[in-house]
Amino acid sequence: MKPWLVCFCLLFTVQTFAEDTADLKIADKTRVAAMQSGDRVNLDAIFSDDLRYAHSNGIVDTKKSFIEILAAGKTKYMVYEYEEQDFTFPSPGMALMTGRAHIKADAGGTIMDGVLSFLAVWRKEQGQWRFLAWQSCKLPTVVKESGQ
């Protein structure tokens, strides 16, 4: 293989990675805003029809059930702030988003406030990044001793 072709391929790969990462960050901001507002139209647009949303308490929702919960206000996300958010691309049209997020939600009067470690999967469907899966676990609260 010609050296210039290798350089071109590497440059194209880096460019595509940067563009996909930027597009995914925008898509994820749209997803979080739709989840916080309960906007049925935007949730339907950003969630894949194959969505599998596994909450940190072990409950699993589909696209239909999760949109219903959010649109009806049964769960309200009050805080959704990333402490860490990384993207990797295991294959074309697939992206893994990993990290930690501080999430505060009211689920029918039960408040969940904590830091979650998560794995999310995004899939490009008809040219648009759509949210395919979520799996999270609540991290233990770190107790600091006085004087530290």
Side-chain angles (χ1 to χ4, degrees), residues 37-53:
S37 71
D39 182 321
R40 216 179 266 278
V41 172
N42 286 334
L43 291 166
D44 185 59
I46 199 72
F47 288 166
S48 171
D49 289 344
D50 300 322
L51 178 69
R52 182 184 191 281
Y53 197 98

Side-chain angles (χ1 to χ4, degrees), residues 52-145:
R52 182 184 191 281
Y53 197 98
H55 300 268
S56 62
N57 62 5
I59 294 172
V60 178
D61 276 302
T62 63
K63 178 180 181 175
K64 182 180 177 182
S65 65
F66 198 35
I67 288 176
E68 184 54 39
I69 287 166
L70 295 170
K74 293 177 184 173
T75 296
K76 296 178 184 172
Y77 287 89
M78 301 169 295
V79 175
Y80 209 113
E81 298 170 346
Y82 289 109
E83 293 181 357
E84 183 181 303
Q85 181 188 36
D86 297 304
F87 294 93
T88 57
F89 300 89
S91 66
M94 294 295 293
L96 302 179
M97 180 176 76
T98 58
R100 287 188 318 271
H102 172 219
I103 297 176
K104 183 175 182 181
D106 181 346
T110 302
I111 304 295
M112 189 289 291
D113 187 1
V115 176
L116 303 180
S117 178
F118 66 85
L119 168 63
V121 182
W122 289 84
R123 179 170 64 191
K124 206 167 231 185
E125 299 175 4
Q126 299 174 339
Q128 177 185 339
W129 286 108
R130 299 191 71 195
F131 196 66
L132 179 64
W134 173 269
Q135 180 79 46
S136 63
C137 66
K138 191 171 183 180
L139 296 174
T141 304
V142 176
V143 179
K144 294 182 181 179
E145 294 182 28

